[in-house]
Amino acid sequence: MALFLATPRSEAKPKSEDRSWWISLFILCAILGGLFGLSFKTQNAIRHNELPSGNYAGLAQAYQVLKKSNDADRGTIGDLQLNIGKLEQALGAHPGQQQVLEDQLKGLRFQAGLTAVTGPGLIVTLNDSKKRFPDEPASVQMQYIIHDVDINQVVNELKAAGAEAIAVNDQRIIGMSPIRCAGPTIFVNNVPETPPYVIRAVGDAKTLQDAMNLAGGVVAGFSLDPAMIAVAKSDSMLLPAYQGPTESKYARPVNDLRSHSRSLSAG
Amino acid sequence: MLAILAVLCAVAGFALTYFLPGITVPFGDQEYLSLAALAGLDSLVGGIRAGTEGKFQSTVFISGFVMNTLLAVFLAYLGERLGQDIGLAALVLLGGRTFVNLSIIRRHWLEGRMIGQSASTAGGS
């Protein structure tokens, strides 16, 4: 390294320039060190946070185990809800106040989506396009597949048009129902569903149909391939009850709103 | 001495960005960052080589540093847009140049030492 300074430069340089290039050298070294530090840190973070992309076998096995326990849990939930229904019926055998309570409970469960319903309404079927474009890039091919946003849009429009109960394939949609893409599958109520997606909504069939056919609305959005969406009225449909978990871990009911807000402002 | 101070600056810069929790980079931009770091390393080693040959010019060095890092990132970005991994070409060439420059530096340094040794033995005997 002593050679670096001792070797005579091939051209004479003014003194002021000598001083400044040291400084720029130091600054550049600091920048280089900074770049390396950032790279190291980000790479560490990436390794920390992302799933091990190579270990598909392990992930697949974990998925199978979870799926099995999930199905078992769903069975348990169904049994428990049946049990609850039986207990409520037994309670209703005592006349008087219990009957009033039971009627109110039935009405609430109906509104919450915990009972099967029947009625007239609309059936909207969403399906992936039959057209195939193998030469197009992925971004174009994606436009010919049904995504969770499409189902969400249809459900939202139906709700806005006054649907009283909505089901996607065999899953009843309640207030907290998620509809979400994970890879090639759409999960409704965290249950995987495959196309065609049959969305049934109980309500005034004419109003619901008009909502679908609004200018710039749902049906217009499928202009690339209109065969992806089909809308049909129905005189009578059966929608299943919501079968997912209903327990609440974080939300607690507030019985008296005034005293609750008083206690909040006091604390 | 100059070299030790420069290394200290590099270590300081490294420690600053590695240990400060605030400075992060989104995961998608990681490959551009490492390419920029490699380009910086290559121009630094090139500057050291020019110094050992006596042909060091500060303007060339500084402009080369800045331009190489920016160009490497731009090439990688262009490659991603076009669908071809042009960043790979930048990576290979930068690494190759670093190795070549390092070996030239090593040869100069060793020659200087051997000349010095033979001069001292010639003077001594």
Side-chain angles (χ1 to χ4, degrees):
Chain A
M1 273 306 146
L3 205 62
F4 190 23
L5 282 178
T7 313
R9 307 261 160 69
S10 49
E11 14 90 273
K13 289 184 344 169
K15 209 155 184 204
S16 59
E17 210 202 286
D18 269 349
R19 245 207 302 262
S20 70
W21 83 257
W22 281 16
I23 298 178
S24 1
L25 174 70
F26 290 158
I27 293 177
L28 287 178
C29 277
I31 292 178
L32 184 64
L35 280 177
F36 269 107
L38 261 182
S39 302
F40 278 32
K41 188 156 84 160
T42 318
Q43 194 60 31
N44 269 348
I46 289 179
R47 227 178 291 137
H48 220 17
N49 280 327
E50 291 201 338
L51 291 170
S53 53
N55 194 9
Y56 279 126
L59 285 176
Q61 191 179 34
Y63 173 74
Q64 292 287 16
V65 168
L66 283 174
K67 193 162 172 314
K68 241 188 242 165
S69 73
N70 195 18
D71 290 338
D73 287 338
R74 281 186 185 280
T76 314
I77 290 176
D79 290 339
L80 286 174
Q81 283 182 334
L82 254 169
N83 208 12
I84 293 176
K86 278 197 210 130
L87 288 173
E88 285 167 2
Q89 273 185 345
L91 206 59
H94 296 52
Q97 311 110 316
Q98 270 89 350
Q99 183 62 40
V100 172
L101 279 177
E102 196 202 293
D103 284 339
Q104 200 177 47
L105 192 60
K106 266 208 194 120
L108 287 173
R109 299 191 71 208
F110 167 73
Q111 284 178 345
L114 295 174
T115 56
V117 300
T118 177
L122 200 70
I123 302 183
V124 179
T125 311
L126 297 176
N127 209 345
D128 291 341
S129 173
K130 298 271 185 297
K131 301 182 185 171
R132 293 275 172 268
F133 302 96
D135 299 321
E136 295 283 349
S139 56
V140 171
Q141 287 189 16
M142 290 285 267
Q143 294 172 314
Y144 291 88
I145 303 176
I146 297 291
H147 298 281
D148 53 353
V149 287
D150 301 318
I151 303 186
N152 268 315
Q153 192 189 12
V154 170
V155 168
N156 199 32
E157 284 292 346
L158 292 170
K159 283 182 190 171
E164 291 166 1
I166 302 181
V168 175
N169 280 3
D170 59 347
Q171 287 300 314
R172 178 75 172 275
I173 302 293
I174 63 167
M176 289 291 147
S177 287
I179 302 174
R180 187 170 52 91
C181 259
T185 325
I186 298 186
F187 286 76
V188 180
N189 290 338
N190 295 319
V191 170
E193 298 289 344
T194 52
Y197 301 104
V198 180
I199 305 169
R200 285 169 289 162
V202 174
D204 179 13
K206 181 87 180 45
T207 316
L208 296 176
Q209 190 179 43
D210 289 343
M212 290 291 105
N213 289 323
L214 285 174
V218 175
V219 173
F222 284 102
S223 55
L224 277 177
D225 182 8
M228 286 167 82
I229 182 170
V231 175
K233 291 191 204 167
S234 169
D235 286 332
S236 171
M237 318 181 273
L238 180 67
L239 267 53
Y242 173 71
Q243 282 172 330
T246 50
E247 68 165 14
S248 199
K249 276 191 288 197
Y250 297 101
R252 293 184 329 269
V254 172
N255 292 318
D256 183 357
L257 204 60
R258 271 177 307 172
S259 67
H260 179 73
S261 54
R262 244 184 279 130
S263 68
L264 275 183
S265 56
Chain B
M1 210 190 55
L2 185 70
I4 298 185
L5 276 179
V7 169
L8 269 177
C9 275
V11 171
F14 183 93
L16 200 71
T17 53
Y18 192 76
F19 293 116
L20 266 190
I23 307 178
T24 51
V25 158
F27 287 176
D29 303 339
Q30 160 60 11
E31 84 167 57
Y32 300 149
L33 202 63
S34 38
L35 203 58
L38 190 60
L41 184 69
D42 163 65
S43 45
L44 190 70
V45 171
I48 296 174
R49 168 211 163 157
T52 59
E53 290 176 344
K55 288 189 285 194
F56 184 82
Q57 279 176 302
S58 61
T59 48
V60 172
F61 174 61
I62 294 168
S63 63
F65 188 103
V66 172
M67 277 226 60
N68 272 0
T69 40
L70 292 178
L71 199 65
V73 170
F74 173 69
L75 231 51
Y77 172 73
L78 192 67
E80 196 196 324
R81 280 274 156 235
L82 292 176
Q84 291 291 349
D85 194 2
I86 302 183
L88 192 62
L91 202 69
V92 169
L93 287 171
L94 287 171
R97 274 217 326 211
T98 310
F99 276 120
V100 167
N101 286 343
L102 274 176
S103 63
I104 292 178
I105 293 171
R106 175 181 44 90
R107 197 173 323 147
H108 273 271
W109 186 64
L110 285 176
E111 278 175 8
R113 289 200 71 195
M114 289 202 297
I115 290 176
Q117 278 183 352
S118 62
S120 64
T121 52
S125 60

